[in-house]
Amino acid sequence: MRTKTASFLLALLWTPAWLCALSQQTPVVVDVDAAHPGAAISPQMFGIFFEDINFGADGGLYPELVENRSFEFSEPLTGWHQELAYGNAGLKPSRGGMSVREAESLNASNPHYLHVQVDEPGFGIRNAGFRGMGVRTGEEYRFSAYVRSHGPKTLHVVVKDSKGRELASGQLQDFTGEWQHYETVLRVSATEAHAQLFLDFEEKGDLDLDMVSLFPVDTWNHRPNGLRKDLVQLLYDMHPGFLRFPGGCIVEGRQLSNRYRWKTTVGDIAERKTILNRWNDEFDHRPSPEYFQSFGLGFYEYFQLAEDIGARPLPILNCGLACQYNTSETAAMDEMHEYVQDALDLIEFANGPVDSAWGKMRAQMGHPAPFHLQMIGVGNENWGERYFERYQLFANALKAKYPEIQLVVSAGPSPDGELFDSAWKEWRNAKADIVDEHYYQSPEWFLSNTHRYDRYDRSGPKVFAGEYAAQTTEMARPDNRNNWKGAIAEAAFMTGLERNGDVVRMASYAPLLASVDFWQWTPDAIWFDTLRSFGTPNYYVQAMYASNVGTRVVPTTPQAEKGIYTSTTLDERSHELIVKVINHNASAAPLEIHLKDEKLSAKAKVLTMQSADLSVENTFESPKKIAPVESVASVKDGVLRDVASAYSFRIYRIPLK
Ligand code: AHR
């Protein structure tokens, strides 16, 4: 039998060296003054910024599988191919032809359609989707189209895998000489990331097609024009406080003619006017000539998405200025009526009674209840006198009719400098409600700016950190990475947002979504391909904050010292303290959280993200290589003891008495 002394000596021998070293280290002591909670934190504090960049909408969140379904791209046959067929003399080009026509179109906002001429039965065309269509075994896909026939009565639809094997088939039939909508549901027999849609014509003659669609039946909440489930799931899991949409520079457009106009994005999807996406050719290093906006995901769907994920809607509207980095085209002051009216009408669309003009449209689209819109952004990343005077027109009209609606204005493109200072001066004088600041900066900038808001005027406008992301190389460079180096710097910076919750009312990482095949901008919170998606470490940092907000700021020291960053909130609903600790050091540190005046003993829930390797990233193959891991820590006599591992972000949820 082993003696007690022998066991003790053995245990000592087996204790890893790092643990012995740690136990000799002086602990980092975090003092939490739980008895004196301070300012209230906005329940909408951490939310989502959505913009149709990186194929975030068409080809992404909006799961239409057909590219250019309405033949409205500048090259109207983009995405469509005529099938070659084998004849006696080998491969021959066609048994018919296809062209795009305009005469007697489906409607005025969708003026082009496909004219198919079948010379011999067996003529076929195909669409390859957004670099392939992602389909899943056993799932249903609704094929639909508007058809007007000058003879043929049947259209065969086949979904094939990348090797040409049939995965599903069906047909539309009984066409007439008038435009009519037809649909059939196909069940797919195998999962395939690069499926294609084939339309085969077995009767001679001509026919016209428009709004040719292959759409998953299984969307988020099973909506017919719904959204891609795995992507919405990731958004839902964040617990976002708000959803900002539709951008971003997309609000502004390169010219005013392709600015975002919400009214053209609601109602029947066949009547929503497709336009160029401004990210189409923004970057020479990432040209995207096939980038258009179908607006299948339009303002109604954005409001519905916000509601579905429990977020407050925050639409941003054009203020009469096209992107000031591009043309800076400006609507004359006497043309501003339309812009201001759009804002007034949007409030009616979101909140108005069902017998109001726009409230009626909302009800007809399926949502008689209001969407509870409480804030609107006037302008995206705008600046200068022309912006300020145009804002005033909005403020006069909106505040007169809807004084309860908060207006969000822009502090310009950078977090400091002349444009930033002049904007803040203007917004203080104008007594603006909320000012939107953007910072795409280095990880070092984020780490050294945790005190940024400590010195902000408490009586001035509130702050919306509306777009931010640590750029691991430089803003808008294609080699920026979504790694832990950027994400942990954001986590540290966000302690400063939270600690200043009386001034900073909202914050969102940007951009949100990126297709691995079609992106223009990196880093981004979530990456996806035709079937898969994953959250980056940056996404998980946002989710950790948004899911653990609290209702009051609690004084905590140290705030940012020797690589340790902290922030504490009290959640008055669950009666818990939520302590966030970031250790931005290459070595682990023993940690003691002292809960002043709280002599409690309890079990705390701990969420940890950590990696000593700052270059670590998530991938499709390892989507949670770095993601929050749950554990438990004990609190004894008001002290929680733990080890803050190297480069770690921890959240402790400590139940109070
Ligand atoms: O998030 C990408 C872009 O960055 C946004 O569209 C714009 O507002 C900012 O310049």
Side-chain angles (χ1 to χ4, degrees):
M1 211 176 88
R2 250 188 232 156
T3 64
K4 267 191 180 171
T5 325
S7 302
F8 174 72
L9 283 174
L10 265 177
L12 252 191
L13 280 175
W14 284 340
T15 306
W18 62 267
L19 207 58
C20 292
L22 260 182
S23 63
Q24 284 155 20
Q25 243 178 275
T26 323
V28 170
V29 175
V30 174
D31 273 312
V32 178
D33 192 356
H36 296 99
I41 298 175
S42 158
Q44 280 86 52
M45 183 69 180
F46 298 108
I48 291 176
F49 161 94
F50 177 86
E51 175 169 25
D52 188 3
I53 185 173
N54 304 318
F55 281 69
D58 291 338
L61 192 55
Y62 185 64
E64 173 60 77
L65 296 174
V66 173
E67 187 190 21
N68 187 19
R69 67 183 176 189
S70 62
F71 310 96
E72 298 300 329
F73 286 19
S74 325
E75 294 292 337
L77 280 174
T78 302
W80 292 94
H81 309 273
Q82 201 162 305
E83 273 304 88
L84 299 175
Y86 282 98
N88 292 340
L91 204 59
K92 61 178 187 173
S94 72
R95 297 169 183 187
M98 63 175 179
S99 58
V100 170
R101 293 194 176 174
E102 285 187 63
E104 296 176 72
S105 62
L106 186 59
N107 60 58
S109 48
N110 184 356
H112 300 97
Y113 58 86
L114 188 73
H115 178 75
V116 179
Q117 171 205 324
V118 185
D119 297 332
E120 277 179 54
F123 176 63
I125 60 175
R126 79 186 151 87
N127 187 288
F130 298 87
R131 297 211 184 139
M133 301 174 175
V135 293
R136 288 197 165 81
T137 315
E139 294 207 353
E140 292 182 326
Y141 297 83
R142 182 173 287 109
F143 174 79
S144 65
Y146 281 86
V147 185
R148 177 175 60 192
S149 174
H150 310 285
K153 292 275 177 274
T154 311
L155 160 61
H156 297 273
V157 187
V158 186
V159 177
K160 293 184 185 171
D161 70 10
S162 54
K163 297 199 170 70
R165 288 176 297 221
E166 184 175 312
L167 302 177
S169 67
Q171 61 180 40
L172 303 184
Q173 56 195 18
D174 301 332
F175 306 137
T176 70
E178 303 296 323
W179 282 117
Q180 267 188 0
H181 192 246
Y182 300 83
E183 63 176 54
T184 183
V185 171
L186 315 176
R187 189 181 291 277
V188 162
S189 60
T191 297
E192 167 66 45
H194 297 100
Q196 299 195 29
L197 173 71
F198 290 76
L199 307 185
D200 294 329
F201 305 90
E202 296 299 338
E203 298 154 78
K204 274 174 80 163
D206 295 7
L207 74 175
D208 303 323
L209 301 172
D210 208 347
M211 293 300 288
V212 183
S213 168
L214 186 65
F215 209 94
V217 170
D218 192 17
T219 57
W220 184 263
N221 279 347
H222 304 285
R223 300 219 167 86
N225 189 48
L227 302 179
R228 188 171 140 171
K229 263 177 95 173
D230 59 326
L231 294 178
V232 181
Q233 186 69 56
L234 282 163
L235 306 186
Y236 180 84
D237 292 344
M238 281 180 79
H239 299 107
F242 64 90
L243 172 68
R244 168 185 173 155
F245 57 89
C249 293
I250 203 133
V251 169
E252 302 158 23
R254 285 172 150 261
Q255 296 86 14
L256 285 175
S257 60
N258 57 38
R259 71 185 189 274
Y260 201 102
R261 307 166 102 147
W262 75 267
K263 286 177 180 166
T264 67
T265 76
V266 293
D268 182 354
I269 55 167
E271 303 213 13
R272 302 184 191 177
K273 191 172 173 51
T274 295
I275 64 167
L276 186 90
N277 185 305
R278 56 139 298 125
W279 295 105
N280 179 300
D281 53 2
E282 180 71 17
F283 298 123
D284 290 344
H285 56 269
R286 297 287 303 175
S288 304
E290 295 181 14
Y291 204 175
F292 285 74
Q293 303 176 80
S294 74
F295 298 116
L297 168 52
F299 259 45
Y300 176 81
E301 289 78 17
Y302 283 123
F303 278 116
Q304 205 164 42
L305 171 63
E307 188 173 82
D308 282 354
I309 59 178
R312 290 263 178 222
L314 169 50
I316 309 286
L317 299 182
N318 186 292
C319 64
L321 281 166
C323 181
Q324 290 171 272
Y325 281 119
N326 301 144
T327 63
S328 200
E329 194 187 345
T330 309
M333 287 297 270
D334 62 6
E335 292 167 354
M336 285 301 297
H337 171 77
E338 182 193 341
Y339 294 76
V340 174
Q341 192 59 46
D342 278 358
L344 290 166
D345 291 342
L346 180 62
I347 299 171
E348 188 175 288
F349 177 73
N351 295 350
V354 296
D355 55 0
S356 63
W358 287 102
K360 186 171 169 197
M361 170 166 245
R362 181 191 72 239
Q364 281 167 347
M365 290 185 75
H367 202 287
F371 280 122
H372 306 294
L373 178 66
Q374 294 177 341
M375 42 194 178
I376 283 190
V378 178
N380 170 47
E381 208 174 58
N382 297 107
W383 62 79
E385 284 306 322
R386 284 179 295 170
Y387 174 40
F388 304 151
E389 56 185 4
R390 279 161 185 74
Y391 160 76
Q392 210 48 61
L393 300 177
F394 285 89
N396 295 345
L398 295 180
K399 291 290 179 190
K401 190 158 182 196
Y402 299 108
E404 71 283 8
I405 299 287
Q406 298 260 292
L407 299 184
V408 177
V409 290
S410 166
S414 0
D416 46 32
E418 215 178 298
L419 297 179
F420 179 86
D421 293 340
S422 72
W424 264 102
K425 189 168 168 226
E426 175 68 24
W427 301 135
R428 265 190 294 272
N429 290 339
K431 300 201 183 325
D433 298 320
I434 304 172
V435 179
D436 175 14
E437 298 189 352
H438 294 179
Y439 16 87
Y440 295 97
Q441 302 286 328
S442 67
E444 294 71 30
W445 183 94
F446 280 88
L447 290 169
S448 58
N449 270 271
T450 54
H451 287 295
R452 176 182 177 87
Y453 294 107
D454 296 358
R455 54 181 183 272
Y456 267 51
D457 175 6
R458 280 21 221 179
S459 60
K462 303 298 179 199
V463 172
F464 171 29
E467 293 183 30
Y468 61 88
Q471 313 290 296
T472 55
T473 55
E474 210 177 288
M475 179 173 165
R477 278 214 9 200
D479 51 354
N480 278 314
R481 306 301 308 181
N482 277 111
N483 59 23
W484 184 226
K485 181 178 180 180
I488 192 172
E490 288 151 8
F493 174 76
M494 289 167 79
T495 58
L497 301 181
E498 199 174 69
R499 270 192 291 104
N500 288 283
D502 54 334
V503 168
V504 184
R505 304 304 284 169
M506 294 184 296
S508 46
Y509 182 91
L512 178 70
L513 295 175
S515 153
V516 287
D517 293 315
F518 284 115
W519 60 273
Q520 295 81 43
W521 181 296
T522 181
D524 306 285
I526 295 167
W527 288 83
F528 62 88
D529 64 14
T530 59
L531 285 174
R532 302 169 298 172
S533 51
F534 68 87
T536 60
N538 316 74
Y539 161 85
Y540 285 111
V541 164
Q542 295 300 313
M544 294 244 301
Y545 268 91
S547 309
N548 294 283
V549 186
T551 53
R552 308 269 299 270
V553 177
V554 175
T556 302
T557 53
Q559 295 175 340
E561 209 176 279
K562 296 182 184 155
I564 301 289
Y565 302 82
T566 70
S567 156
T568 305
T569 60
L570 169 67
D571 190 334
E572 292 158 305
R573 298 153 304 194
S574 64
H575 212 56
E576 285 169 300
L577 274 182
I578 307 174
V579 186
K580 301 184 174 81
V581 180
I582 288 99
N583 177 15
H584 197 275
N585 290 296
S587 54
L591 176 73
E592 287 185 7
I593 300 176
H594 290 227
L595 308 171
K596 218 166 155 190
D597 294 333
E598 284 284 351
K599 298 280 171 245
L600 82 166
S601 298
K603 292 268 179 238
K605 189 173 117 185
V606 190
L607 282 173
T608 305
M609 280 182 78
Q610 60 186 344
S611 168
D613 173 7
L614 288 175
S615 69
V616 69
E617 297 179 19
N618 290 336
T619 59
F620 287 121
E621 290 68 34
S622 302
K624 291 196 172 172
K625 197 164 181 179
I626 177 145
V629 174
E630 221 178 292
S631 60
V632 175
S634 299
V635 184
K636 215 168 160 237
D637 298 330
V639 180
L640 184 152
R641 290 186 174 81
D642 198 4
V643 174
S645 40
Y647 296 119
S648 61
F649 170 26
R650 281 181 162 70
I651 298 184
Y652 301 91
R653 289 195 77 113
I654 307 169
L656 295 176
K657 276 175 284 188

